[in-house]
Amino acid sequence: MKKLKMRWILPVIAMLICSMPVCAANRNIALPGNPQEVDNQEKGSIEIELTDGSAGTSKEGVVFQYDKVAEVIDGEYKLCSEYEKSGIDLNVIERAEELDQAAKTFCRYRLADGTCRTNADGKAVMEDLEVGVYLLYATETKRYEEITPVLIAIPTWGEVQGDMLYDVKVIPKHAPRIPEREIVKTGDSAIPYRLTGLVIISVSVVLAVCYKKKQYNEK
């Protein structure tokens, strides 16, 4: 059994800000002063629950992949080798916005320990998971909405229970899809728009020259 330092506990709670109060954690980031014990030999689980999307969407058949991005060593997070390239330090994250950005960054290096698929109620469970931090991301959304990648820790603090919980629940953020025609493209993808502008200018110049030539011939 190893003691869990306070700076490790804080980001654990932040990881579940997107969850409902009935889940393993709540919206608080402050915990009791005494460090909690973590059993690195114990296994846990993560339950995903999707909330209703917009009209016409379905929570069923959404495929998630999950991968362990960090371990708990001496009461601190230690990124797994593949994710060390990100340069992220999970031990200093305290805000939900920082955690969301970390999840998106980790997706660039993502691997997969396994997959799961939601049932008709929008639920899926990953079991027999080691202590650590896991990245969850949707790979097949079917008729659902866009889902934000999420980081979740095993264990995490349950304030109601007053203990560290190894079976946790997460409710991922989601938003309606944006039709492709409404997406404003930037960078290299903006080249077609620049070309369109050049074509318009070129056509305008040609028409102007033709108009001047016509006026000259009429004199």
Side-chain angles (χ1 to χ4, degrees):
M1 305 281 283
K2 296 182 179 179
K3 293 292 184 179
L4 184 65
K5 299 179 182 179
M6 279 299 296
R7 58 180 172 177
W8 188 85
I9 295 177
L10 292 179
V12 169
I13 299 305
M15 286 183 184
L16 289 174
I17 287 179
C18 62
S19 302
M20 295 290 191
V22 297
C23 301
N26 52 47
R27 297 179 185 275
N28 297 325
I29 59 172
L31 291 176
N34 296 326
Q36 303 297 314
E37 293 184 341
V38 170
D39 185 355
N40 284 274
Q41 303 303 315
E42 187 166 346
K43 297 295 183 68
S45 66
I46 298 174
E47 179 184 0
I48 297 174
E49 180 177 340
L50 297 178
T51 55
D52 292 336
S54 55
T57 60
S58 172
K59 300 180 290 186
E60 184 176 7
V62 176
V63 177
F64 283 88
Q65 289 192 349
Y66 58 93
D67 192 43
K68 185 177 180 181
V69 302
E71 298 178 320
V72 182
I73 300 178
D74 295 329
E76 293 186 332
Y77 292 130
K78 172 65 176 176
L79 292 181
C80 298
S81 58
E82 185 65 26
Y83 295 94
E84 289 179 347
K85 303 174 185 177
S86 67
I88 292 174
D89 184 357
L90 291 176
N91 299 290
V92 301
I93 291 179
E94 296 181 357
R95 296 186 302 163
E97 295 81 3
E98 296 174 315
L99 199 69
D100 286 344
Q101 185 57 51
K104 293 175 182 177
T105 300
F106 284 147
C107 280
R108 302 174 189 169
Y109 310 91
R110 64 190 185 190
L111 301 174
D113 283 339
T115 62
C116 60
R117 185 185 299 268
T118 58
N119 59 20
D121 296 321
K123 296 182 179 180
V125 180
M126 295 151 283
E127 299 179 310
D128 198 32
L129 301 178
E130 299 176 347
V131 165
V133 181
Y134 289 83
L135 171 67
L136 309 179
Y137 53 95
T139 58
E140 188 176 339
T141 54
K142 293 284 187 179
R143 291 177 289 117
Y144 194 59
E145 300 183 330
E146 292 289 346
I147 300 173
T148 303
V150 61
L151 290 169
I152 189 80
I154 297 176
T156 192
W157 175 255
E159 186 164 322
V160 175
Q161 297 82 355
D163 198 3
M164 299 301 289
L165 304 179
Y166 292 79
D167 297 310
V168 297
K169 177 179 177 180
V170 63
I171 302 176
K173 299 176 184 178
H174 56 90
R177 299 178 184 278
I178 301 176
E180 291 185 5
R181 64 179 179 274
E182 296 180 11
I183 298 176
V184 177
K185 301 183 179 180
T186 59
D188 293 338
S189 59
I191 291 177
Y193 292 92
R194 292 197 292 269
L195 289 176
T196 300
L198 290 174
V199 170
I200 293 175
I201 293 173
S202 299
V203 171
S204 299
V205 171
V206 171
L207 291 176
V209 171
C210 292
Y211 178 74
K212 289 291 185 180
K213 186 175 181 180
K214 179 180 180 182
Q215 284 186 323
Y216 178 80
N217 293 333
E218 290 177 350
K219 289 181 180 181

